[in-house]
Amino acid sequence: MAEHGRVVRRYAATGEPEDELLTIGDPLPLEQARLAELGLPADGDLRSASDEQIEEWTEITFGLAPEIAAAYGVSPFTLTRETKVRGTGVLALTPGTTDHRS
């Protein structure tokens, strides 16, 4: 999620040790709601969560991106040939990105 050209939220769950270091920003309201449903802290701090809660949260997050995209703009899953387009689409490069292709 970017605002005014600045990345404000990126969630990363790679399954690798310390993957939380790839996450940028605080959980968005939609993420906070899902965390609350699981009885987890709204700030996304999972250090006190059980293995079961972490596993359930990880499963939820895999499907959450399109829902967040739809809530804040356009979900890529709803685009069709009939979708009216205006302006220019952009892709944000996150901090640490060193290679990109145009």
Side-chain angles (χ1 to χ4, degrees), residues 29-101:
L30 195 53
E31 292 172 284
Q32 292 174 6
R34 296 299 186 277
L35 285 161
E37 289 170 6
L38 296 175
L40 295 168
D43 66 2
D45 184 350
L46 303 180
R47 288 180 288 188
S48 62
S50 69
D51 289 343
E52 183 179 292
Q53 286 175 308
I54 292 171
E55 184 177 327
E56 191 169 0
W57 173 243
T58 301
E59 289 177 20
I60 288 171
T61 60
F62 283 118
L64 203 51
E67 192 174 342
I68 289 172
Y72 286 92
V74 177
S75 171
F77 295 129
T78 61
L79 297 176
T80 67
R81 290 177 187 247
E82 288 75 36
T83 301
K84 293 182 181 184
V85 179
R86 70 171 192 242
T88 303
V90 296
L91 179 63
L93 296 178
T94 58
T97 301
T98 58
D99 182 36
H100 67 278
R101 294 168 178 78

